Amino acid sequence: MEFKASQIAELLQGEVVGDENTVVSGVSKIEEGQPQTIAFLANPKYEHYIYETKASIVLVNNTFEPSDKISATLIKVEDAYQAVASLLQMYDEMRPKPRGIEEPSFISKSAKLGEKIYIGAFAYIGSNVSIGNNVSIYPQVYIGDNVKIADNVTIYPGVKVYRDCKLGENVVIHAGSVIGADGFGFAPSNHKDYKKVPQIGNVVLEDNVEIGANTCIDRATMGSTIIRHGVKLDNLIQVAHNSEIGSNTVMAAQTGVAGSTKIGKDCMFGGQVGISGHLSVADGVKLAAQTGVASSIRKENEILQGTPAFNISDFRKSYVHFRKLHILANKIDELEKELKNLKS
Amino acid sequence: MEFKASQIAELLQGEVVGDENTVVSGVSKIEEGQPQTIAFLANPKYEHYIYETKASIVLVNNTFEPSDKISATLIKVEDAYQAVASLLQMYDEMRPKPRGIEEPSFISKSAKLGEKIYIGAFAYIGSNVSIGNNVSIYPQVYIGDNVKIADNVTIYPGVKVYRDCKLGENVVIHAGSVIGADGFGFAPSNHKDYKKVPQIGNVVLEDNVEIGANTCIDRATMGSTIIRHGVKLDNLIQVAHNSEIGSNTVMAAQTGVAGSTKIGKDCMFGGQVGISGHLSVADGVKLAAQTGVASSIRKENEILQGTPAFNISDFRKSYVHFRKLHILANKIDELEKELKNLKS
Amino acid sequence: MEFKASQIAELLQGEVVGDENTVVSGVSKIEEGQPQTIAFLANPKYEHYIYETKASIVLVNNTFEPSDKISATLIKVEDAYQAVASLLQMYDEMRPKPRGIEEPSFISKSAKLGEKIYIGAFAYIGSNVSIGNNVSIYPQVYIGDNVKIADNVTIYPGVKVYRDCKLGENVVIHAGSVIGADGFGFAPSNHKDYKKVPQIGNVVLEDNVEIGANTCIDRATMGSTIIRHGVKLDNLIQVAHNSEIGSNTVMAAQTGVAGSTKIGKDCMFGGQVGISGHLSVADGVKLAAQTGVASSIRKENEILQGTPAFNISDFRKSYVHFRKLHILANKIDELEKELKNLKS
């Protein structure tokens, strides 16, 4: 499929600088730009590429003023990064989506299926499952008994959703993630061994939640582990039983949240962050990658680093000195010697 | 199904305070207590909820003395937390368990199947597999050739068990875990590339082991990677080839144990702990979350923190000063100046 | 199957010391050596085992001179560790490999299949997939549309490969890994929520790449996430969108590489390492386990530790003092007091 610069400009409410009839059929990165593709320039750091790119069209910010000749046709928009997101969206939506029920699949007779759904081969749909409209369930997915799936949900191959869990509208779950496995609950017995505490709760994913690949969200002991509206979790994340993640919070890969912890809304956590159990974290808190949180964070919008975590600018001040700690230690030895000399 | 307070008290060997005929049909958390449910109070921190909960029955410790009016019927037991675990167990056991063999599934003719088993749809059972009685194998599970599975084992959807591995009685493995993939063994060759060292050993999970979701336990190069009796591993844990985890040791999520390391019994590791290869860790050792162990730990029951790890109270003493290290550094500068003044 | 010492010596170009007709039928570790098996001794630390092992044959280095009586027959080779790798290889190759197409499986009519392939039951092969010769696709694997798989590739049970990805010759992927899930790309909108940036790129695994179990490699936003020739990734690793890992780099389990980061060739990373996005790491860099890299590493072959990472010998010098930081702090207090006394 081909598009003219003028058509794209109209879609993005932008302005063409150059040949309105330039035609593209794909998308590329500016540093690898190919003829007949559209690229974009949002980060000024990459500006030098625009003078040599072979892309036929480049999306730029309204504010962009070239400092040299450019062979590509430009489309000026208010926000090039947002525009490219819209463009990728359109491109992605043109991709044909699977529909219908592939065989063999296993669908319980008591399951209720919405309209315009896709159920891939080797998918398993348990008893009393309810599936909304426009839902895509890819091959080899497992949906346990009594699970409720709202409209427009996409579940990629091999996801496992245990019994009783609830998925809100527009939820996306990537391959291999496990929703609703037993929380890690064991009561010590007399003989140093452990007795399992059955986990009879569930997991609730509210609307617009997106979950990456091979992430685990455990069911609550009682009640629900809750992932609020708009939360985005990356790959290989652990959310333990009875936790709650506030709306629009985003977490990078390999982060772990221990049991019964309540994370606020609009938080941003880097990768490999760990948060202990039974804590609360205020709204808007940011955590640097690999940070370890061992006590509740009460102050909204604070940024922290370190294990255990404290204010990031304090951490950085401390770390500057940690890096040359042997020099500090030598200075102290020197001072002790000098003082001894003075006294004698 | 409904139960009277008197019936529950009898089961738990407790005493009813209030109406013996109060009826419940479910379980709830005390802070979210609903009518016709039973809740519990074990942690005194939550006592205030008991005066306002809508739960019809609350389990409490014998020692509990209310300081205000309570509308719920109480059942006094010796240990409310243990009692609720027993109650959840009973509740859980009432849930109907799947039985029989669903189609389509793939079961090698040479496999031996026990009695009262469940094999879910799309499960794969390889050659010479032996499966005990009362075993549940959920949909989309893969059991490789020659695997031995003892009685009462539960394997949740999508678990993969490679050839030759052995699972003891009562083993539970949650969705997506991989037992017996190749250990990470590569010998450097002359040309800076690596030659694979085939991994011909296996994994042995002894009785009463429980493994969380998406956890990986690699097969030994030769011999066995061994998870001893009663070990409990959380989600997303890595156990490398030829390791051994001692009995009743518990590890929280995202912890990693490198190759040929031997962990003692009765250890407790927090989340995201890492342990290097070829080490040994004494019995009863506890590691704080995110701790990194780079050398063997010889002292039983020691508690450690930090990367590299050392005694936790020493770590805490050091960290107090790390948090204000720039103040220490300033003091040293100040001392140097003063000393210079004194000498001049 | 049985082998004589003389046959093994011939295969390995070694020399028999003892009975050339000693027969073995398996492989064991020297410390657990069983009769009729062959063991090896490469690490001098384990030498004492050779005097008591029950293994019938032991592979040793040419340079090995016993200090006591040995009952086993010895085979002397140039490099015992390499020899055992070769031996394990031969042993492994004798294991019968599955071939053919098991039913039920789902293979799109537009897929092109090579010769001597294995496709396990419940595997899913999408539209326009191309599969080379001698490829093994185990049960419950998902191969999305347009995926290209070269010769001699092995894909273990439950692996998911999203559409458009490319796998080079001899690639091995262990169970549960996810190749090509969406990169974690979301653009903040006006209302504190996030708009998904579609990820239309792919993942390219070049020849001889081996990927462990439950590892995730995300597809690029545009273009490719690239894993170069000979890279070995362990279990539970995260590689984010648009990253590139240089040839023959090896990473231990649970390591994470954030988006658009370029790692050099011949690097070695310990477990649980984290690397921030948009960085570059020079060739031959080594990172200690749990290291966190927050800025680019320009110096080839540097070894680093800590979060944020710096030179490992500097880190160690600093850490020595960190471990007794309260002593340093006390010394400073002491110095301040003494100086005060001196001045008064």
Side-chain angles (χ1 to χ4, degrees):
Chain A
M1 247 171 134
E2 298 198 330
F3 298 89
K4 284 185 191 173
S6 54
Q7 291 172 308
I8 297 170
E10 202 187 326
L11 277 166
L12 300 175
Q13 297 177 287
E15 178 201 352
V16 179
V17 181
D19 180 2
E20 296 218 328
N21 293 316
T22 310
V23 158
V24 293
S25 60
V27 182
S28 67
K29 290 195 282 187
I30 193 165
E31 64 269 38
E32 302 169 350
Q34 293 299 314
Q36 296 235 316
T37 66
I38 180 167
F40 79 104
L41 173 65
N43 188 336
K45 204 168 86 174
Y46 293 108
E47 181 180 330
H48 60 283
Y49 288 119
I50 203 171
Y51 307 110
E52 39 188 71
T53 188
K54 287 176 185 153
S56 304
I57 304 180
V58 182
L59 276 174
V60 296
N61 289 329
N62 272 334
T63 54
F64 173 70
E65 290 299 334
S67 62
D68 202 345
K69 259 192 182 172
I70 297 174
S71 62
T73 295
L74 302 186
I75 299 179
K76 290 189 160 189
V77 291
E78 204 183 313
D79 180 337
Y81 187 67
Q82 285 277 5
V84 80
S86 303
L87 208 67
L88 288 171
Q89 192 95 41
M90 286 183 257
Y91 188 87
D92 195 57
E93 278 164 9
M94 279 159 37
R95 204 162 39 87
K97 296 293 179 302
R99 282 284 171 262
I101 296 176
E102 291 174 352
E103 291 298 341
S105 48
F106 184 103
I107 303 175
S108 165
K109 280 176 188 165
S110 56
K112 280 181 211 156
L113 308 184
E115 295 185 357
K116 296 187 188 164
I117 63 169
Y118 168 56
I119 296 182
F122 317 122
Y124 185 101
I125 313 291
S127 306
N128 302 312
V129 168
S130 128
I131 295 177
N133 299 323
N134 298 309
V135 167
S136 294
I137 294 177
Y138 277 76
Q140 300 140 343
V141 164
Y142 173 86
I143 306 291
D145 297 346
N146 313 313
V147 169
K148 308 274 170 250
I149 300 175
D151 293 347
N152 303 315
V153 166
T154 302
I155 305 179
Y156 283 103
V159 168
K160 311 303 176 198
V161 183
Y162 280 52
R163 66 182 190 282
D164 305 327
C165 294
K166 290 178 186 169
L167 280 56
E169 291 188 12
N170 309 313
V171 161
V172 175
I173 308 176
H174 278 281
S177 284
V178 177
I179 310 300
D182 281 356
F184 195 61
F186 298 92
S189 86
N190 313 332
H191 308 290
K192 283 198 166 175
D193 61 352
Y194 294 88
K195 193 180 165 186
K196 183 174 176 75
V197 179
Q199 307 287 307
I200 68 164
N202 71 349
V203 174
V204 174
L205 306 181
E206 293 189 351
D207 297 347
N208 301 328
V209 165
E210 182 156 345
I211 308 285
N214 282 351
T215 279
C216 298
I217 304 176
D218 279 354
R219 68 195 308 105
T221 310
M222 291 177 274
S224 300
T225 304
I226 304 176
I227 312 297
R228 295 279 177 212
H229 182 278
V231 166
K232 312 296 179 191
L233 302 184
D234 200 350
N235 302 337
L236 293 163
I237 285 175
Q238 154 74 354
V239 180
H241 52 176
N242 293 91
S243 293
E244 179 180 333
I245 315 288
S247 55
N248 297 321
T249 281
V250 296
M251 296 189 190
Q254 296 174 316
T255 283
V257 179
S260 300
T261 279
K262 191 174 172 178
I263 309 285
K265 59 186 183 183
D266 304 322
C267 293
M268 294 184 73
F269 297 173
Q272 298 180 336
V273 162
I275 302 179
S276 296
H278 299 272
L279 305 183
S280 65
V281 172
D283 294 346
V285 164
K286 291 190 173 71
L287 301 174
Q290 292 192 333
T291 290
V293 177
S295 52
S296 289
I297 301 173
R298 310 276 178 212
K299 198 173 150 192
E300 291 190 9
N301 304 314
E302 204 181 356
I303 311 179
L304 301 97
Q305 185 167 12
T307 301
F310 58 104
N311 182 281
I312 195 168
S313 44
D314 292 340
F315 177 89
R316 285 179 180 166
K317 276 189 219 161
S318 288
Y319 205 76
V320 164
H321 295 292
F322 172 75
R323 292 178 70 136
K324 47 186 188 188
L325 202 48
H326 63 287
I327 298 176
L328 283 193
N330 289 345
K331 282 186 181 178
I332 294 171
D333 288 350
E334 205 53 46
L335 283 168
E336 283 181 331
K337 265 185 238 162
E338 291 189 26
L339 206 59
K340 208 173 167 187
N341 289 343
L342 265 185
K343 288 200 291 185
S344 61
Chain B
M1 247 170 134
E2 297 198 331
F3 297 89
K4 283 186 192 173
S6 53
Q7 291 173 309
I8 297 170
E10 203 187 326
L11 278 166
L12 300 174
Q13 298 177 287
E15 177 201 351
V16 179
V17 180
D19 179 2
E20 295 218 327
N21 293 315
T22 310
V23 159
V24 292
S25 60
V27 183
S28 66
K29 290 195 283 187
I30 193 164
E31 65 269 38
E32 303 168 350
Q34 293 299 312
Q36 297 235 318
T37 66
I38 182 168
F40 79 105
L41 173 65
N43 188 337
K45 203 168 86 176
Y46 295 106
E47 183 182 328
H48 60 283
Y49 289 118
I50 202 171
Y51 307 110
E52 39 188 71
T53 188
K54 287 176 184 153
S56 304
I57 303 180
V58 182
L59 278 172
V60 296
N61 289 330
N62 273 335
T63 53
F64 174 68
E65 290 299 336
S67 63
D68 202 345
K69 260 193 183 171
I70 296 174
S71 62
T73 295
L74 302 186
I75 298 178
K76 288 187 160 188
V77 291
E78 205 183 313
D79 180 336
Y81 187 67
Q82 285 277 5
V84 80
S86 303
L87 207 67
L88 288 171
Q89 193 96 42
M90 287 182 258
Y91 188 88
D92 194 57
E93 278 165 9
M94 279 158 38
R95 204 162 40 86
K97 296 293 181 304
R99 282 285 172 261
I101 296 177
E102 291 174 353
E103 293 297 342
S105 48
F106 184 103
I107 302 175
S108 164
K109 280 176 190 167
S110 55
K112 282 182 210 155
L113 308 184
E115 295 185 357
K116 295 186 189 165
I117 63 169
Y118 168 56
I119 297 183
F122 317 123
Y124 185 101
I125 313 292
S127 305
N128 303 313
V129 167
S130 128
I131 296 178
N133 299 322
N134 299 308
V135 167
S136 293
I137 294 178
Y138 278 77
Q140 300 139 343
V141 164
Y142 173 86
I143 306 291
D145 296 347
N146 313 313
V147 169
K148 307 276 171 248
I149 301 176
D151 294 347
N152 303 314
V153 166
T154 302
I155 305 180
Y156 283 102
V159 168
K160 312 303 177 199
V161 183
Y162 281 53
R163 65 182 191 282
D164 305 326
C165 294
K166 289 178 186 169
L167 280 55
E169 291 188 12
N170 310 313
V171 161
V172 175
I173 308 176
H174 279 281
S177 283
V178 176
I179 311 300
D182 281 356
F184 195 61
F186 298 92
S189 86
N190 313 332
H191 308 290
K192 283 197 165 175
D193 60 353
Y194 293 88
K195 192 180 167 188
K196 182 174 178 74
V197 179
Q199 307 287 308
I200 68 164
N202 72 349
V203 174
V204 175
L205 306 181
E206 292 189 352
D207 297 346
N208 301 328
V209 165
E210 181 156 345
I211 308 284
N214 282 351
T215 278
C216 298
I217 303 176
D218 280 353
R219 70 195 305 107
T221 310
M222 290 177 275
S224 299
T225 303
I226 305 177
I227 314 295
R228 295 278 177 214
H229 183 279
V231 167
K232 313 295 179 191
L233 301 183
D234 201 351
N235 302 337
L236 293 163
I237 284 176
Q238 153 75 353
V239 179
H241 52 175
N242 293 92
S243 294
E244 180 180 332
I245 316 287
S247 56
N248 297 321
T249 282
V250 296
M251 297 189 189
Q254 297 174 316
T255 282
V257 178
S260 299
T261 279
K262 191 174 173 179
I263 310 287
K265 58 186 183 182
D266 305 321
C267 294
M268 294 184 74
F269 297 172
Q272 299 180 335
V273 162
I275 302 179
S276 295
H278 299 273
L279 305 183
S280 65
V281 173
D283 295 346
V285 164
K286 290 190 172 72
L287 300 174
Q290 292 191 333
T291 290
V293 177
S295 54
S296 289
I297 301 173
R298 308 276 179 212
K299 198 173 151 192
E300 291 190 9
N301 304 313
E302 204 182 356
I303 312 180
L304 301 97
Q305 185 167 11
T307 301
F310 57 105
N311 182 282
I312 195 169
S313 43
D314 292 340
F315 177 87
R316 284 177 181 168
K317 275 188 220 159
S318 289
Y319 206 75
V320 164
H321 295 291
F322 171 74
R323 291 178 69 136
K324 48 186 187 188
L325 202 47
H326 62 287
I327 298 176
L328 283 192
N330 288 344
K331 280 185 182 179
I332 294 171
D333 288 351
E334 203 55 46
L335 283 167
E336 284 181 330
K337 266 184 235 157
E338 289 188 28
L339 205 59
K340 206 172 168 187
N341 289 341
L342 266 184
K343 289 199 291 184
S344 61
Chain C
M1 247 170 135
E2 298 197 330
F3 298 90
K4 283 185 193 174
S6 54
Q7 292 172 308
I8 296 170
E10 202 187 326
L11 277 166
L12 300 175
Q13 297 178 286
E15 177 201 351
V16 178
V17 181
D19 180 2
E20 296 219 328
N21 293 315
T22 311
V23 159
V24 293
S25 60
V27 182
S28 66
K29 289 194 284 185
I30 193 165
E31 65 269 37
E32 302 169 351
Q34 293 299 313
Q36 298 235 316
T37 65
I38 182 168
F40 79 104
L41 173 66
N43 188 336
K45 204 169 84 172
Y46 294 108
E47 182 180 330
H48 60 284
Y49 288 118
I50 202 170
Y51 306 110
E52 38 188 72
T53 188
K54 288 178 184 151
S56 304
I57 304 179
V58 181
L59 277 173
V60 296
N61 289 330
N62 272 334
T63 54
F64 173 70
E65 290 300 336
S67 63
D68 201 346
K69 260 193 182 171
I70 297 175
S71 63
T73 295
L74 302 186
I75 298 178
K76 289 189 160 188
V77 291
E78 205 183 314
D79 180 337
Y81 187 68
Q82 286 277 3
V84 80
S86 303
L87 208 65
L88 287 171
Q89 192 97 41
M90 286 183 257
Y91 188 87
D92 194 58
E93 277 164 9
M94 279 159 39
R95 204 162 40 86
K97 296 293 181 302
R99 282 283 171 263
I101 296 177
E102 291 174 351
E103 293 296 342
S105 49
F106 183 104
I107 302 175
S108 164
K109 280 176 189 166
S110 55
K112 281 182 209 154
L113 308 184
E115 295 185 358
K116 296 187 190 165
I117 64 169
Y118 168 56
I119 297 182
F122 317 122
Y124 185 101
I125 312 292
S127 305
N128 302 314
V129 167
S130 127
I131 296 177
N133 299 323
N134 299 308
V135 168
S136 294
I137 294 177
Y138 277 77
Q140 300 138 343
V141 164
Y142 173 87
I143 306 291
D145 297 346
N146 312 314
V147 169
K148 308 274 170 249
I149 300 175
D151 293 348
N152 304 314
V153 166
T154 303
I155 305 179
Y156 283 102
V159 168
K160 312 302 176 200
V161 183
Y162 281 53
R163 67 183 189 281
D164 305 326
C165 293
K166 290 179 184 168
L167 280 56
E169 289 188 13
N170 310 313
V171 161
V172 175
I173 309 176
H174 279 282
S177 283
V178 177
I179 311 300
D182 281 355
F184 196 60
F186 297 92
S189 86
N190 313 332
H191 307 291
K192 283 197 165 175
D193 61 353
Y194 292 88
K195 192 180 168 187
K196 182 174 177 74
V197 179
Q199 306 287 308
I200 67 165
N202 72 348
V203 174
V204 174
L205 306 181
E206 292 189 352
D207 296 348
N208 301 328
V209 166
E210 182 156 344
I211 309 284
N214 282 351
T215 278
C216 297
I217 304 176
D218 280 353
R219 71 194 305 107
T221 311
M222 291 176 274
S224 299
T225 303
I226 304 176
I227 313 296
R228 295 278 177 214
H229 182 279
V231 166
K232 312 295 179 190
L233 302 184
D234 200 350
N235 302 337
L236 292 163
I237 284 175
Q238 154 75 354
V239 179
H241 51 176
N242 293 92
S243 293
E244 179 180 334
I245 315 287
S247 56
N248 296 320
T249 282
V250 296
M251 298 189 189
Q254 296 174 317
T255 282
V257 178
S260 300
T261 278
K262 190 174 173 179
I263 310 286
K265 59 186 183 182
D266 304 322
C267 294
M268 294 185 75
F269 297 172
Q272 299 180 335
V273 162
I275 302 179
S276 296
H278 298 273
L279 306 182
S280 65
V281 172
D283 294 347
V285 165
K286 290 190 172 69
L287 301 174
Q290 292 192 333
T291 290
V293 176
S295 53
S296 289
I297 301 173
R298 309 275 178 214
K299 198 173 150 192
E300 291 190 9
N301 304 313
E302 203 182 356
I303 312 181
L304 301 97
Q305 185 167 11
T307 302
F310 56 104
N311 183 281
I312 195 169
S313 45
D314 292 339
F315 176 87
R316 285 178 180 167
K317 275 189 220 160
S318 289
Y319 205 76
V320 164
H321 296 291
F322 171 74
R323 292 178 68 136
K324 48 184 188 190
L325 202 48
H326 62 289
I327 299 176
L328 283 193
N330 289 344
K331 281 187 180 177
I332 294 170
D333 289 349
E334 204 54 45
L335 283 168
E336 283 181 331
K337 265 185 238 159
E338 290 188 29
L339 205 59
K340 207 173 167 186
N341 289 342
L342 266 185
K343 289 199 291 185
S344 61

